[in-house]
Amino acid sequence: MTELLISAVGPVFTVDGRLVRELARDCVRLEVSEGIEGLRTLQAHFLATGGDATGPPQPLLHLDGRELDFGRSMRVSLGPDRGQRFVFEGTVSAIELVLGDGEPPRVVVLAEDALMRLRMTRRMRTYTDLSDADIAREIAGLHGLQAEAGADGPTYDVVQQLNQSDLAFLRERARLVQAEIWAAGRTLHFRSRPQRTGTSLTLVHGNDLLSVRLCADLAEQRSACIVTGYDAAAQGVIDEEAGPDVVAAESIGGRTGAALVESALGKSTTYRVREAALTSAEAVAWARAEMLRRGRRFVTVTGTTRGSADMEVGSRLRLALVGAPFEGGGYYVTRVTHTFDNVQGFRTRFEAERSTLNEVA
């Protein structure tokens, strides 16, 4: 059986639940992007003329509000007929008209997922006796969203949101405990990485994996992380430390950056000083989260595939034919950008990370 090396697979657009074939016909570029910090975005370029039309003064397409308008719900799928997947679901937030020199007119549509509501709302608010997951649930409820929150972390006596957007505030809370944020339809997710389910893919360089750059870097690695503070209730100093065992506990074997940095460069300790812990539980959680943040990024990957509709933030990757130190599984996708155009067709650019480097004989 012969397999095609190139498959020109165009996007499929659904607006307010209705399939709009004209958008697929006129789409000349599409970009859908998302990272672990949440907020999936879409940018789509459509030809604004059809047939022999050359542009103004003839009416331009896609500007009459019938297909595209502010607040319209848009879903987009990509991939071959038997492997088509939805890569975006959100709301139209911007419409542009581009009239270039010697180029056909284009209408550019921008859209964002349900987290757009959180981005546009700024508050002064106090939360009491809640964990970060509890705070995520409250914020979701304020926007009429469902919540799936299960991040590990302490319960705080008081947390204040000071003139921040709900999204910026939630991202700050996620950073403290290394949680991840994303929206799926009308549901806000706030979860620790091990609790996030994703697809599993194998990418072979020279086949689906067109290009890739892999880097193992000790610059940000530390052998220990310390968080200090003062517990007013107990009238005692807080001094908690997390070490390489935190990173090793979620690795799949090999050499971790947290262990290598001490043997290669000597003992290296970092202090988390942006926040002052008020309880030992806070200090333990924050120190552990900082070690994980650094350790997980020991090995980083940026790559491009022929188009992987199944790939999403949270996907687990196995890489093949990429060199012995980097070969194998354990890679976690942290950013995905799906693109389509009339030149290269469907492509997927991604970033991924892994905490270990393979042992090499």
Side-chain angles (χ1 to χ4, degrees), residues 79-315:
D81 290 341
R82 295 181 181 179
Q84 203 168 77
R85 299 288 185 271
F86 281 106
V87 297
F88 180 81
E89 181 176 1
T91 303
V92 174
S93 58
I95 300 173
E96 301 178 6
L97 175 62
V98 180
L99 303 174
D101 182 10
E103 299 178 351
R106 288 177 290 122
V107 171
V108 182
V109 174
L110 292 91
E112 299 170 299
D113 69 14
L115 296 185
M116 176 175 61
R117 301 172 183 268
L118 279 66
R119 179 179 65 80
M120 300 178 68
T121 304
R122 188 177 291 268
R123 301 183 196 273
M124 304 279 286
R125 188 178 172 90
T126 300
Y127 302 86
T128 58
D129 297 321
L130 297 176
S131 67
D132 292 308
D134 295 330
I135 292 172
R137 293 187 191 95
E138 283 214 2
I139 290 176
L142 293 172
H143 293 276
L145 302 176
Q146 299 296 317
E148 292 289 341
D152 300 326
T155 297
Y156 306 95
D157 291 338
V158 177
V159 175
Q160 291 184 310
Q161 180 179 353
L162 301 175
N163 193 29
Q164 291 175 289
S165 72
D166 285 345
L167 182 57
F169 177 64
L170 206 55
R171 284 172 170 172
E172 180 182 278
R173 305 314 305 175
R175 176 184 60 82
L176 279 172
V177 296
Q178 279 301 285
E180 298 180 5
I181 307 168
W182 73 99
R186 300 282 301 170
T187 300
L188 167 68
H189 294 263
F190 184 97
R191 291 192 175 276
S192 301
R193 180 170 295 186
Q195 299 172 341
R196 184 172 189 171
T197 58
T199 57
S200 297
L201 295 87
T202 296
L203 301 178
V204 181
H205 182 235
N207 190 0
D208 286 337
L209 185 57
L210 299 176
S211 65
V212 63
R213 180 173 182 172
L214 305 101
C215 177
D217 190 352
L218 291 176
E220 293 296 320
Q221 298 303 300
R222 299 295 182 268
S223 53
C225 177
I226 297 174
V227 175
T228 61
Y230 185 78
D231 189 329
Q235 296 185 345
V237 173
I238 297 169
D239 190 347
E240 300 290 348
E241 179 176 329
D245 56 305
V246 172
V247 180
E250 67 171 32
S251 69
I252 61 170
R255 301 178 293 170
T256 67
L260 274 172
V261 70
E262 185 167 352
S263 62
L265 305 176
K267 187 173 178 60
S268 176
T269 301
T270 185
Y271 286 81
R272 190 165 186 167
V273 298
R274 290 181 61 180
E275 304 86 16
L278 301 180
T279 67
S280 291
E282 294 177 10
V284 168
W286 297 351
R288 180 181 180 277
E290 180 64 9
M291 281 299 294
L292 286 175
R293 183 188 72 81
R294 292 174 178 271
R296 287 167 172 169
R297 290 192 56 76
F298 173 42
V299 179
T300 56
V301 182
T302 57
T304 302
T305 76
R306 294 186 186 278
S308 305
D310 286 333
M311 189 183 297
E312 57 189 354
V313 176
S315 290

